Amino acid sequence: MGKQKLRRYSEITEFENVHDLSTLRPGDTALRAGKWAMECFGNSRPIIIELACGKGDYALALAARFKEYNFIGVDKKGDRLWKGAVAAKEQGLDNVAFIRGSIKHLSQIFGPQEISEIWITFPDPYLKNRRRSRRLTAPGFLEIYARILKPDSLVHLKTDSPELFEFTTAVIEREKLDIKDIISDVYALNPIPELLAIQTYYEKMHLEENRTIRYVSFRLPVGFKAKLKL
């Protein structure tokens, strides 16, 4: 590991807006589970999370627009979170924080129905079929999200991967989930909805390569259990 990464990993342990839960193990429960709004932000506002957030581009942009919400970016890579945490400080955003930890442990990190919305922006599509259970819209992950989401809350996916998009819409159809919006080409819209016009670091790269950006949002019922596991 490079010296810069080591320095950043060390520094984020001192950041007030970064919470390191990378050592959480199955069966553990985070101390703030069910109490993140009050103990992390000092208020009772709804919490929206960005998964595999990288540098937290979406969480930061949403936090700047919607001060009436709290935002938390979740990622396992501390050097990326360092950038988001520093940007939040520089922009004076006190309604956004970051968690270093595994998405598999979300139901241990957060309490039941603690989260109001989930954004998944340009995650690894895990294109090999044998790794499809690692896709963040795979049934196993949807069951985890259903445990922490409030009733009628949305899950948003924005991706440049046609394979992940098709996989996700197939899962939604098979599980008979309620779709709110489905867009096969975000930048073909005129105008582009404000929330979808936000661009992450990776999205900008994808657009330069003339990739098509796709989007789907859907609802998970409380207590959702997948009909078919991968």
Side-chain angles (χ1 to χ4, degrees), residues 178-198:
D178 177 26
I179 291 182
K180 182 178 183 291
D181 286 305
I182 183 166
I183 302 170
S184 58
D185 186 349
V186 169
Y187 289 92
L189 300 177
N190 187 16
I192 300 170
E194 179 185 5
L195 294 185
L196 299 186
I198 296 169

Side-chain angles (χ1 to χ4, degrees), residues 3-131:
K3 291 183 179 180
Q4 180 172 269
K5 281 190 176 182
L6 286 172
R7 175 178 61 81
R8 289 176 175 177
Y9 275 120
S10 175
E11 287 182 2
I12 64 171
T13 63
E14 304 298 325
F15 287 1
E16 292 183 358
N17 60 351
V18 178
H19 307 273
D20 191 344
L21 298 178
S22 59
T23 60
L24 202 66
R25 295 294 179 262
D28 295 343
T29 301
L31 293 176
R32 291 186 176 86
K35 301 175 288 185
W36 281 95
M38 189 56 64
E39 294 194 0
C40 180
F41 300 101
N43 58 54
S44 57
R45 297 169 187 161
I47 299 174
I48 295 173
I49 61 176
E50 181 190 2
L51 302 183
C53 69
K55 302 172 186 178
D57 295 321
Y58 242 84
L60 291 165
L62 291 171
R65 287 166 169 79
F66 302 102
K67 298 298 180 66
E68 68 273 26
Y69 289 90
N70 299 316
F71 296 87
I72 299 178
V74 182
D75 203 293
K76 62 183 179 182
K77 297 189 176 181
D79 59 315
R80 294 179 181 176
L81 294 180
W82 180 92
K83 295 179 182 179
V86 169
K89 289 181 179 181
E90 291 176 346
Q91 296 174 38
L93 296 173
D94 59 5
N95 63 329
V96 61
F98 298 90
I99 291 174
R100 183 185 174 205
S102 171
I103 293 170
K104 294 187 296 184
H105 297 157
L106 283 181
S107 59
Q108 299 162 242
I109 294 172
F110 299 106
Q113 300 184 20
E114 186 172 14
I115 302 305
S116 295
E117 208 163 304
I118 291 176
W119 281 84
I120 307 171
T121 54
F122 302 93
D124 190 329
Y126 291 106
L127 294 178
K128 293 182 179 179
N129 195 51
R130 61 183 171 81
R131 305 181 76 192

